[in-house]
Amino acid sequence: MALTPLLWLLCFQGDSAAHLERGTLSLRLPCPFMQEQVLLENLKSGLTTTFEYRVTVQQGGKARMTGAILEVRYELWDEVFLLRRLKLDGTGDELQFKDIAALTAWFHQVQIFQLSDPITANDLLVEVQLRIIPFSEKEQAETLKWVNQGVGAPGTRNNVSQPGNRVFTMIMGNSIRRETLLEYQWRLLSGASL
Amino acid sequence: MNWRWLLYWLLGGSCAVLLFLFVLQRTVTRPAMNFLFQSEIPESLARSMEDQKQLARLDPENSALYRQRFEELDLLRRNYQVLQINQTHLARNFETILVGGLIAILLLAAVLTFMESRRTHRFLLGLREQMAALAENRPEFPSLGAKRGLFRRIDELAREQWSNHKKVQKKVRDLEHLNGWQESARRHAHEIRTPLTAAFLEMESMQDRFARDLPPPLEEAWQEHRQHVITQLNRLKEFTNAFAAFGKLTQPTLKPQNLNAFLKQFAQLYHSAWSNLNLVLAPDLPDALCAFDSEHIRQVLVNLCQNASQAMGDRQGTISLSTRKEGLFWICRVADDGPGIPQAVLSRLFEPYVTTRSIGQGMGLGLAIAQKIMLDHGGDLILASSSAAGTCFELFFPCEEQS
């Protein structure tokens, strides 16, 4: 599957993803990524699509960082999208969406950062990094376990401890990686309009 | 086959196998992976999952069972999808392993070749030193230090050549030495024979001229003195003849023949030649083709048997004959169970006029003549051992192929 690393330099000026009200900045994820075909296919595959975002804010010589992991899985039995959010502070919540439109709408409105301090200077720099991974760590571990069980399956005269099987499982373990499916980076530069 | 060549063959074979596997991987495994990861399988699994859902709707009582089956199928499908996503990595990693193995083996082969090259260079330097030692006739022969393999064999061959060279040198020295003695003996015999003949003639003349008219008492005294002088002159003549025989020793007429057959004939002919000796020939001796002069060799064997017989004295003894092949020589072993040779004469045993017998009983030319004969054959005569249990001589005959 092709990895599509995209580096977008996007100025939020006039974009609905950045909202300034009474000197307070709030950020949302701009949602062009939800239009990617490869992502839509992965979301419907039944695998847990993992969204990792990280927000770095530099203002007045100080840097702050926040981020979260969003795990989205299409529950094939109930035919709903399950979203699990894990924040850096350890808190988390679970949401459920009936279709992709609802999920996309949630991504549109979710606030990923809020700067409560009034913006007084022109030295604000916000960087948003989003990485989308096609499956979760749990699914990776399950697949490795499945491979190992298959190699050492009873009745196959195979044993995991055999040198050939060890090499095979080593190669498989090294090959099953959580490579990035899509990657985005946005940068907000404070300007005259802010 | 040398083990190094075997190793190189193994390395080369491994490279070839890995290369083959690599090509196989590129040409067969990737399509095979494409086949394995074709989309029909997850789609079929998805359909099966959908079927479970339908069954759950139609048969709500067993909904939990269908749900469980659905989850199992879902897990399998997800595992399959994870592998499908990493299909490229899988193919690449298998290729990397093969290429890595190939490179490792090539590197190993390069390192081994380099080490072998250095080792060869070191041994060649050692070999040059050995050749120098051989050319300069050094008393000590340097070693290559090889423990096994081709250079070990070369070392052994070079050492063998050096040893042969030393033996040949000794033979040449012995031959020159004996030739000197032979020439000396020939001259002495010539110089003594003339006055000896004159002395005999004078004695005969004196007998004719003076002894006839002597009165009986003087006649008796004359005859007694005359007989004494003639005895001494005869003894001198005998020694002179021995000198002459040594001096006139002819070159052998070499004729290819079976040494063991000759020995068998000798043992039969001389079976009762020495009353105190029992002549025994080893049984079942193979054909031993050598080029020798049978008359000369007979002389050598007679001389050795004669010596053994005299050493035995009054007691009965055995002299045994046997042969064996060693390198380029057939070796005839002549062993007796006599009292052995006195230590004092061992170092000069083959020198002319060296004898253990009392004065007047032997000239000490027998072993010198025997050794000269063997050297003239391109062989040698050596004393293999001598102790109170017996004496053993060995006669070296060059094999016919080499003679």
Side-chain angles (χ1 to χ4, degrees):
Chain A
M1 189 170 288
L3 174 68
T4 317
L6 295 172
L7 178 63
W8 286 19
L9 179 63
L10 176 68
C11 179
F12 284 85
Q13 186 179 355
D15 190 275
S16 60
H19 184 69
L20 184 64
E21 189 177 341
R22 291 179 204 159
T24 302
L25 176 73
S26 63
L27 288 178
R28 295 188 297 275
L29 286 170
C31 290
F33 60 90
M34 287 301 282
Q35 293 161 15
E36 290 288 340
Q37 190 60 32
V38 64
L39 175 60
L40 293 173
E41 282 176 9
N42 202 76
L43 280 170
K44 288 188 176 177
S45 68
L47 291 171
T48 306
T49 310
T50 307
F51 297 78
E52 288 180 3
Y53 72 81
R54 189 171 61 185
V55 183
T56 310
V57 179
Q58 291 182 23
Q59 186 190 26
K62 289 194 291 182
R64 276 178 286 178
M65 196 178 78
T66 185
I69 295 173
L70 307 172
E71 290 183 343
V72 180
R73 188 169 77 85
Y74 184 59
E75 176 54 64
L76 291 163
W77 182 269
D78 298 324
E79 298 181 358
V80 292
F81 286 94
L82 298 175
L83 186 145
R84 196 160 69 100
R85 180 164 53 176
L86 291 167
K87 294 179 183 174
L88 282 184
D89 60 6
T91 60
D93 52 359
E94 286 189 4
L95 300 166
Q96 190 171 313
F97 303 94
K98 63 179 172 42
D99 54 25
I100 195 83
L103 181 69
T104 308
W106 182 84
F107 269 110
H108 263 298
Q109 60 85 32
V110 68
Q111 185 175 282
I112 59 168
F113 179 74
Q114 185 171 30
L115 188 66
S116 52
D117 299 337
I119 300 170
T120 53
N122 288 346
D123 59 350
L124 177 71
L125 172 64
V126 180
E127 277 187 345
V128 182
Q129 285 180 310
L130 174 65
R131 200 160 74 94
I132 302 171
I133 302 162
F135 52 88
S136 65
E137 283 181 9
K138 186 186 169 197
E139 285 162 347
Q140 182 187 27
E142 278 175 352
T143 306
L144 276 173
K145 189 180 166 189
W146 179 62
V147 167
N148 287 341
Q149 281 175 344
V151 169
T156 56
R157 289 197 303 167
N158 285 333
N159 191 316
V160 183
S161 61
Q162 283 179 358
N165 292 343
R166 268 195 226 152
V167 171
F168 177 77
T169 50
M170 187 195 76
I171 294 170
M172 294 298 282
N174 197 39
S175 301
I176 299 169
R177 299 181 203 159
R178 294 176 71 232
E179 294 278 354
T180 305
L181 183 67
L182 292 169
E183 189 170 6
Y184 298 89
Q185 185 170 328
W186 297 276
R187 182 174 290 175
L188 172 63
L189 298 168
S190 63
S193 62
L194 289 173
Chain B
M1 186 184 278
N2 189 291
W3 70 271
R4 276 192 184 78
W5 285 112
L6 188 68
L7 183 65
Y8 289 146
W9 275 105
L10 281 174
L11 288 173
S14 304
C15 284
V17 167
L18 283 174
L19 202 61
F20 171 74
L21 288 174
F22 181 71
V23 173
L24 193 75
Q25 168 76 8
R26 299 290 289 191
T27 56
V28 178
T29 314
R30 283 202 173 195
M33 279 201 175
N34 290 338
F35 171 74
L36 285 173
F37 292 118
Q38 58 184 302
S39 58
E40 283 177 15
I41 295 169
E43 283 169 7
S44 295
L45 287 168
R47 277 197 296 275
S48 299
M49 289 162 67
E50 190 61 36
D51 291 345
Q52 298 301 318
K53 278 169 71 176
Q54 291 292 339
L55 286 168
R57 279 189 209 112
L58 294 170
D59 185 13
E61 286 182 8
N62 292 316
S63 176
L65 176 67
Y66 299 127
R67 179 69 190 258
Q68 188 192 340
R69 286 181 185 165
F70 179 89
E71 295 294 342
E72 286 169 4
L73 287 167
D74 188 31
L75 179 63
L76 186 62
R77 184 169 166 270
R78 275 187 281 132
N79 288 336
Y80 195 83
Q81 282 177 321
V82 169
L83 287 181
Q84 205 171 18
I85 289 168
N86 287 288
Q87 184 181 342
T88 312
H89 290 144
L90 282 168
R92 197 188 303 146
N93 280 349
F94 275 109
E95 285 165 10
T96 306
I97 290 282
L98 290 173
V99 173
L102 191 69
I103 291 168
I105 287 173
L106 286 173
L107 279 173
L108 182 65
V111 168
L112 284 175
T113 306
F114 175 71
M115 287 169 67
E116 181 64 13
S117 164
R118 287 192 62 182
R119 185 171 168 273
T120 305
H121 180 68
R122 197 170 65 246
F123 283 135
L124 285 175
L125 287 178
L127 198 59
R128 190 171 69 179
E129 191 63 21
Q130 283 188 336
M131 294 302 109
L134 201 61
E136 292 165 14
N137 196 23
R138 291 181 200 162
E140 294 296 325
F141 195 67
S143 170
L144 284 182
K147 290 184 175 61
R148 62 182 82 83
L150 182 65
F151 284 100
R152 171 73 181 172
R153 182 77 191 118
I154 291 172
D155 195 14
E156 285 171 355
L157 286 173
R159 193 166 294 278
E160 196 177 305
Q161 284 306 310
W162 180 76
S163 176
N164 287 340
H165 182 64
K166 287 280 172 196
K167 283 178 187 168
V168 168
Q169 280 186 324
K170 181 186 170 295
K171 278 186 194 176
V172 170
R173 275 199 309 274
D174 288 346
L175 207 52
E176 284 174 352
H177 186 64
L178 285 170
N179 282 340
W181 278 107
Q182 202 178 6
E183 178 61 18
S184 172
R186 193 183 61 76
R187 283 175 181 274
H188 279 103
H190 178 74
E191 292 300 325
I192 293 169
R193 188 166 280 162
T194 307
L196 187 63
T197 307
F200 268 115
L201 290 173
E202 281 301 320
M203 281 304 295
E204 289 305 312
S205 171
M206 284 170 74
Q207 172 68 20
D208 291 342
R209 288 174 62 185
F210 305 118
R212 283 181 189 171
D213 303 326
L214 286 175
L218 283 175
E219 164 73 14
E220 195 176 325
W222 159 252
Q223 285 303 336
E224 187 183 338
H225 286 292
R226 176 177 169 269
Q227 196 55 44
H228 183 68
V229 171
I230 285 174
T231 302
Q232 294 303 321
L233 286 175
N234 276 332
R235 197 173 150 204
L236 192 58
K237 185 182 175 185
E238 190 184 323
F239 287 156
T240 307
N241 286 341
F243 274 130
F246 180 45
K248 286 180 181 173
L249 201 60
T250 56
Q251 283 297 308
T253 308
L254 300 179
K255 182 181 166 191
Q257 49 196 308
N258 184 353
L259 176 65
N260 286 329
F262 169 79
L263 290 177
K264 191 175 176 184
Q265 194 184 31
F266 177 84
Q268 285 170 349
L269 197 64
Y270 287 84
H271 181 254
S272 54
W274 297 277
S275 57
N276 60 345
L277 268 189
N278 183 23
L279 213 57
V280 177
L281 180 67
D284 302 327
L285 292 173
D287 287 350
L289 194 62
C290 310
F292 59 92
D293 186 323
S294 51
E295 281 307 314
H296 283 211
I297 299 305
R298 185 175 290 114
Q299 188 181 347
V300 172
L301 291 172
V302 166
N303 179 266
L304 293 176
C305 291
Q306 187 73 33
N307 289 348
S309 173
Q310 287 179 354
M312 295 288 177
D314 295 333
R315 78 177 180 88
Q316 197 68 28
T318 301
I319 190 157
S320 52
L321 302 172
S322 61
T323 55
R324 70 174 191 279
K325 194 175 182 193
E326 202 172 285
L328 305 176
F329 292 91
W330 274 101
I331 300 170
C332 174
R333 186 179 168 86
V334 182
D336 68 44
D337 54 357
I341 299 166
Q343 197 70 29
V345 296
L346 277 180
S347 60
R348 301 184 300 123
L349 189 65
F350 295 103
E351 284 187 16
Y353 313 118
V354 173
T355 180
T356 57
R357 292 169 210 153
S358 50
I359 294 169
Q361 291 187 345
M363 295 287 291
L365 286 172
L367 281 178
I369 290 170
Q371 192 187 37
K372 175 77 168 61
I373 287 170
M374 291 312 298
L375 289 171
D376 285 342
H377 275 74
D380 204 354
L381 170 65
I382 64 162
L383 175 69
S385 65
S386 179
S387 68
T391 302
C392 177
F393 286 93
E394 286 185 341
L395 286 71
F396 286 69
F397 294 86
C399 292
E400 170 54 12
E401 308 87 73
Q402 304 294 328
S403 61

